[in-house]
């Protein structure tokens, strides 16, 4: 999730407030928080000498992850839950959780789940015209999916659709971008630069 400390940070303005009404998101936040706490406590602990860990919050983190999975299974048939920005945010937090825990497996299932929720909503073009909570989280999915495609050879599902709509709405063409030195005007959207350090045109390309 984004790290910048201004009110437009989705974690500050969307995720934390939404967690108050979403058990799925609250458990996802608790899971990743518990894991971070576990790592912080144990990173300087000499396990070879002691033979044991200082903290067991890593186990607690896995329990909260299991709660997220259980709640998702229980609510898969509820459209209002699946189209709730809180559920999308929970998937992205759990994707980060699995990247931190394993680094190589599991995280892609959460990313794919997030793209499925976006597809089920079916309003990407409408959302892109607004600055609602949903589209701000979608931008996070687009950034992660783009990196996953380049580093792990995963298919780009939402990212391709997102940029096609984005280009169409601004009457830009992929031909102009590929064959000229002119960089498209992406307006004042600083989300991608704040999120990953790259301007929107770099992610788009």
């Amino acid at each position: 999730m984004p790290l910048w400390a201004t009110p437009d940070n989705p974690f500050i303005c969307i995720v934390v407030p939404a967690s108050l009404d979403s058990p799925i998101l609250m458990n996802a936040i608790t899971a990743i928080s518990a894991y971070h706490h576990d790592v912080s406590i144990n990173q300087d602990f000499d396990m070879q000498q002691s033979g044991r860990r200082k903290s067991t919050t890593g186990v607690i983190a896995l329990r909260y992850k299991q709660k997220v999975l259980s709640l998702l299974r229980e609510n898969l048939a509820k459209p209002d839950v699946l189209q709730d920005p809180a559920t999308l945010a929970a998937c992205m937090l759990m994707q980060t959780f699995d990247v931190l825990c394993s680094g190589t497996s599991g995280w892609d299932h959460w990313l794919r789940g997030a793209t499925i929720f976006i597809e089920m909503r079916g309003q990407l073009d409408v959302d892109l015209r607004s600055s609602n909570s949903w589209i701000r989280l979608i931008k996070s999915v687009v950034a992660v999916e783009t990196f996953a495609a380049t580093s792990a050879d995963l298919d780009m599902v939402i990212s391709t659709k997102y940029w096609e709509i984005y280009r169409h709405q601004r009457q830009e063409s992929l031909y102009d971008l590929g064959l000229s030195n002119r960089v498209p005007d992406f307006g004042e959207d600083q989300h991608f630069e704040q999120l990953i350090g790259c301007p929107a045109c770099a992610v788009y390309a």
Side-chain angles (χ1 to χ4, degrees):
M1 296 300 291
L3 300 177
W4 69 93
T6 56
D8 62 336
N9 180 329
F11 189 83
I12 296 174
C13 65
I14 299 174
V15 175
V16 173
S19 68
L20 301 178
D21 297 316
S22 171
I24 296 175
L25 181 54
M26 180 61 77
N27 279 284
I29 292 175
T30 307
I32 200 167
S33 298
Y35 181 79
H36 175 72
H37 180 264
D38 185 69
V39 171
S40 298
I41 289 178
N42 289 291
Q43 62 182 353
D44 297 324
F45 191 66
D46 189 349
M47 295 177 58
Q48 291 185 349
Q49 292 184 6
S50 67
R52 61 185 181 84
R53 295 173 66 85
K54 259 188 177 180
S55 170
T56 59
T57 50
V59 176
I60 297 174
L62 292 175
R63 290 175 182 168
Y64 280 104
K65 175 186 175 180
Q66 186 59 45
K67 288 183 180 180
V68 174
L69 289 168
S70 298
L71 288 169
L72 281 173
R73 281 194 294 265
E74 293 171 8
N75 291 278
L76 281 178
K78 300 177 180 178
D80 58 326
V81 174
L82 298 182
Q83 297 185 24
D84 186 351
T87 307
L88 181 61
C91 282
M92 295 310 294
L93 283 176
M94 296 314 298
Q95 181 263 338
T96 302
F97 180 95
D98 276 347
V99 167
L100 295 174
C101 282
S102 69
T104 57
S105 63
W107 60 267
D108 54 317
H109 299 300
W110 291 106
L111 179 59
R112 179 55 183 152
T115 62
I116 289 175
F117 291 152
I118 295 171
E119 288 181 311
M120 289 176 63
R121 180 175 169 86
Q123 299 181 22
L124 187 56
D125 55 341
V126 175
D127 289 328
L128 195 50
R129 292 188 179 93
S130 67
S131 58
N132 59 26
S133 299
W134 191 262
I135 195 62
R136 295 171 76 177
L137 291 172
I138 286 176
K139 291 177 182 179
S140 297
V141 177
V142 168
V144 172
E145 189 183 52
T146 300
F147 277 117
T150 56
S151 63
D153 198 29
L154 294 181
D155 293 334
M156 290 202 301
V157 180
I158 291 302
S159 300
T160 301
K161 296 178 182 178
Y162 176 92
W163 291 117
E164 285 177 353
I165 296 171
Y166 194 93
R167 174 181 59 85
H168 177 73
Q169 290 183 0
R170 286 153 181 77
Q171 297 181 344
E172 295 290 345
S173 77
L174 290 171
Y175 180 83
D176 289 339
L177 179 63
L179 300 183
S180 74
N181 293 322
R182 182 177 60 85
V183 176
D185 178 13
F186 288 92
E188 299 178 356
D189 185 359
Q190 300 297 314
H191 187 99
F192 291 103
E193 188 162 1
Q194 291 170 320
L195 177 66
I196 58 177
C198 298
C201 58
V203 183
Y204 175 76

